[in-house]
Amino acid sequence: MFGTESSLSMFLNTLTPKFYVALTGTSSLISGLILIFEWWYFRKYGTSFIEQVSVSHLRPLLGGVDSSTPSTSNTSNGEADSNRQSVSECKVWRNPLNLFRGAEYNRYTWVTGREPLTYYDMNLSAQDHQTFFTCDSDHLRPADAVMQKAWRERNPQARISAAHEALEVEDCATAFILLAEEEATTIMEAERLFKQALKAGEGCYRRSQQLQHHGTQYEAQHRRDTNVLVYIKRRLAMCSRKLGRTREAVKMMRDLMKEFPLLSMFNIHENLLESLLELQNYADVQAVLAKYDDISLPKSATICYTAALLKARAVSDKFSPEAASRRGLSTAEMNAVEAIHRAVEFNPHVPKYLLEMKSLILPPEHILKRGDSEAIAYAFFHLQHWKRVEGALNLLHCTWEGTFRMIPYPLEKGHLFYPYPICTETADRELLPMFHEVSVYPKKELPFFILFTAGLCSFTAMLALLTHQFPELMGVFAKAFLSTLFAPLNFIMEKVESILPSSLWHQLTRI
């Protein structure tokens, strides 16, 4: 024992200051390289490389759950969704409840001086208009030929002027649509223009319906006229809803869904759900959900959170977190909590808007499912329905954060849905205005290993600098530090030597 200690002391005495400079410099270099790699990996993939390796490879070896193994609950509900992940996880959708540019978005600009729509969002709308309202045979109709150019115009005044020019030729449904969307300054004025568009659109639809089987050109015309007619009727129903004629709006939406059941791209059922909630007709809301909340259909925040609201409504008025912690959750309360967890997993941004922890802005014309843009669009129209159900927001407040304990690594693995897409932040920044702070999930806080390597790099770099400047003094400090470090061990060994017989200690040292 004493020989080992003396040899260690001789080794420390023979070390020169250059050795300490080299040691600390090398340690600083290595920790700096680790820090740079960790930071690059975190910025690119949103997670720590060391943490990911430990979770993916080391935890299964130590007896943990393999994150690559799908859970039973995930298999039942998430398998169909995961097949669509590569196609639709970052697909931008038309907002079913989008506002009117002239009567709502432009009014906001006049009052605040801020632009609520981004160029990217408006460009997507222009592409939608060209897809839905134009076809290859537009040159055969003079008014439609003018409108084909109008939809491509970037300047709003140029588009409006072209729409008036088309109306001088004939009553053109798409010209009335453009004026109702962009020139009308009130909802009543927009409704009047849409009624004129409906009259012109129905005439074109009937004529093209009779000729649709005469060739591909006529078939394309009929498809375009169908899109125009559906759009007009849907916007008329939305005008009725905004003007307080909610029952009339519900009837128009039901008739539209019955007349054109295959045109699900407009998501008219989401408009219907919002109107039925305004009427507090919860039985019909449940019937619509039973049809559209299906594993084979794409989900949305409206579907998931409306289902959660209906289940919360059954228990929220009597729910108390203190009572629930004492007696446990009842079956109905458990169903409500599970529905909230399901909704939060689909879109984790919504609760902060519903609980008014974050300020709302006008929703964009396009949304990204599971993103901040969808959360804004949902909360903008549905916050009033949550407030109307007594205790629903209290239940949401008490339970929504529990979702994150079920999915600690949401980018790698989901629970009821496929893993949360990484691309939502980038797409939402394009869709939402600059003055809005985009909600990010999961929150990109610096992982422990990046902070640790940063501290280690700084500490070793400082040691290297001090050793280079004051080699003899740092050598004394190093020897004192090592002596202090080994002092408890030396004390324990001395106590062991005094207690054990010398013969036994001699045998142990030989072994």
Side-chain angles (χ1 to χ4, degrees):
M1 179 62 193
F2 290 109
T4 305
E5 186 177 346
S6 61
S7 60
L8 178 61
S9 178
M10 284 183 60
F11 173 73
L12 293 175
N13 289 329
T14 55
L15 295 178
T16 63
K18 291 183 179 180
F19 169 79
Y20 293 109
V21 173
L23 177 63
T24 53
T26 305
S27 302
S28 178
L29 176 63
I30 294 173
S31 57
L33 292 175
I34 294 173
L35 174 62
I36 293 170
F37 175 76
E38 273 281 291
W39 179 254
W40 169 81
Y41 194 88
F42 174 73
R43 294 288 295 175
K44 186 173 184 179
Y45 299 105
T47 185
S48 166
F49 174 77
I50 300 174
E51 286 182 3
Q52 188 177 34
V53 169
S54 63
V55 169
S56 303
H57 302 288
L58 298 182
R59 190 164 64 169
L61 295 176
L62 297 175
V65 179
D66 187 358
S67 62
S68 62
T69 304
S71 62
T72 306
S73 57
N74 192 32
T75 304
S76 60
N77 286 335
E79 202 154 301
D81 285 334
S82 62
N83 293 333
R84 295 192 296 267
Q85 179 182 3
S86 59
V87 178
S88 64
E89 72 169 11
C90 289
K91 179 182 177 182
V92 175
W93 300 72
R94 182 84 176 173
N95 182 5
L97 296 166
N98 66 305
L99 305 177
F100 293 85
R101 278 198 195 175
E104 292 172 306
Y105 287 121
N106 287 349
R107 179 175 293 182
Y108 176 85
T109 303
W110 298 334
V111 172
T112 65
R114 291 175 166 181
E115 288 290 342
L117 298 176
T118 63
Y119 174 78
Y120 176 66
D121 193 13
M122 291 188 287
N123 187 48
L124 289 174
S125 296
Q127 294 175 22
D128 291 341
H129 295 152
Q130 292 177 51
T131 302
F132 292 142
F133 302 150
T134 63
C135 65
D136 294 336
S137 59
D138 278 345
H139 62 279
L140 301 176
R141 300 178 184 175
D144 287 336
V146 175
M147 286 307 300
Q148 192 173 45
K149 297 178 181 177
W151 293 120
R152 294 173 182 169
E153 285 286 349
R154 292 186 177 182
N155 189 340
Q157 290 304 319
R159 288 197 297 271
I160 292 171
S161 299
H164 284 293
E165 181 184 342
L167 289 176
E168 291 175 1
V169 178
E170 61 176 341
D171 283 351
C172 176
T174 53
F176 283 121
I177 288 175
L178 192 148
L179 295 178
E181 290 285 355
E182 300 193 20
E183 189 181 43
T185 56
T186 64
I187 299 298
M188 293 183 68
E189 186 181 351
E191 184 181 39
R192 178 181 61 79
L193 289 168
F194 272 121
K195 285 180 178 179
Q196 293 177 269
L198 179 63
K199 184 178 179 181
E202 284 179 333
C204 292
Y205 176 75
R206 283 193 295 268
R207 287 192 295 270
S208 63
Q209 190 177 29
Q210 296 172 355
L211 301 173
Q212 62 176 314
H213 301 297
H214 291 190
T216 55
Q217 174 182 313
Y218 295 103
E219 185 179 350
Q221 278 187 5
H222 178 64
R223 186 164 54 250
R224 190 272 311 272
D225 292 337
T226 302
N227 291 337
V228 169
L229 186 62
V230 171
Y231 185 88
I232 294 170
K233 289 187 174 183
R234 173 174 159 268
R235 292 304 257 178
L236 276 172
M238 293 177 69
C239 287
S240 297
R241 167 69 184 92
K242 291 175 184 291
L243 293 171
R245 305 194 303 269
T246 310
R247 295 187 184 279
E248 179 185 335
V250 168
K251 183 179 183 305
M252 294 171 71
M253 292 173 194
R254 288 189 185 279
D255 292 343
L256 185 57
M257 293 168 68
K258 191 180 297 182
E259 186 178 0
F260 301 98
L262 299 179
L263 289 180
S264 59
M265 58 187 166
F266 289 103
N267 291 326
I268 304 170
H269 61 276
E270 296 197 10
N271 299 83
L272 179 60
L273 282 172
E274 196 278 327
S275 298
L276 290 173
L277 286 171
E278 177 64 21
L279 295 174
Q280 300 184 47
N281 195 341
Y282 297 110
D284 285 354
V285 172
Q286 185 62 59
V288 175
L289 284 178
K291 182 177 181 182
Y292 289 96
D293 193 5
D294 186 84
I295 191 172
S296 61
L297 297 175
K299 297 292 183 294
S300 68
T302 302
I303 293 290
C304 295
Y305 277 90
T306 303
L309 176 60
L310 291 190
K311 292 189 177 179
R313 177 176 170 268
V315 298
S316 59
D317 56 336
K318 299 176 182 177
F319 178 78
S320 169
E322 295 80 11
S325 62
R326 286 196 306 269
R327 58 173 169 78
L329 294 174
S330 64
T331 304
E333 289 173 338
M334 185 63 73
N335 290 337
V337 171
E338 288 177 353
I340 289 174
H341 286 177
R342 171 180 181 260
V344 174
E345 182 184 350
F346 182 82
N347 193 315
H349 310 284
V350 172
K352 286 191 175 182
Y353 294 108
L354 292 180
L355 297 172
E356 298 181 271
M357 300 165 65
K358 194 172 182 186
S359 58
L360 274 171
I361 61 171
L362 294 185
E365 292 184 337
H366 290 81
I367 59 173
L368 182 69
K369 288 193 175 183
R370 306 187 75 179
D372 191 31
S373 51
E374 185 191 33
I376 292 170
Y378 172 79
F380 186 86
F381 293 99
H382 288 261
L383 175 58
Q384 56 181 329
H385 306 316
W386 279 82
K387 286 184 174 180
R388 190 177 291 127
V389 177
E390 184 183 354
L393 289 175
N394 177 50
L395 180 61
L396 178 68
H397 174 72
C398 295
T399 57
W400 73 280
E401 290 182 330
T403 311
F404 307 128
R405 290 192 292 271
M406 300 162 54
I407 41 174
Y409 300 99
L411 296 178
E412 288 85 26
K413 181 181 177 182
H415 179 59
L416 298 174
F417 299 99
Y418 52 82
Y420 191 80
I422 304 174
C423 61
T424 54
E425 180 184 357
T426 304
D428 278 332
R429 289 192 189 281
E430 295 287 335
L431 288 171
L432 297 172
M434 291 295 294
F435 58 82
H436 174 73
E437 182 182 354
V438 176
S439 178
V440 179
Y441 174 78
K443 188 67 176 177
K444 290 187 177 180
E445 297 176 350
L446 289 177
F448 165 76
F449 287 104
I450 288 185
L451 298 175
F452 176 75
T453 51
L456 181 62
C457 177
S458 303
F459 178 70
T460 52
M462 183 182 67
L463 283 181
L465 179 62
L466 291 174
T467 306
H468 179 73
Q469 293 292 329
F470 313 102
E472 295 181 358
L473 184 60
M474 289 303 294
V476 173
F477 279 143
K479 292 172 185 176
F481 173 75
L482 291 175
S483 301
T484 307
L485 186 65
F486 286 106
L489 180 62
N490 292 335
F491 177 76
I492 293 172
M493 295 301 295
E494 289 176 1
K495 289 295 184 183
V496 170
E497 286 182 359
S498 63
I499 294 172
L500 293 178
S502 58
S503 58
L504 178 60
W505 180 253
H506 181 68
Q507 294 297 327
L508 288 175
T509 53
R510 289 183 62 186
I511 292 174

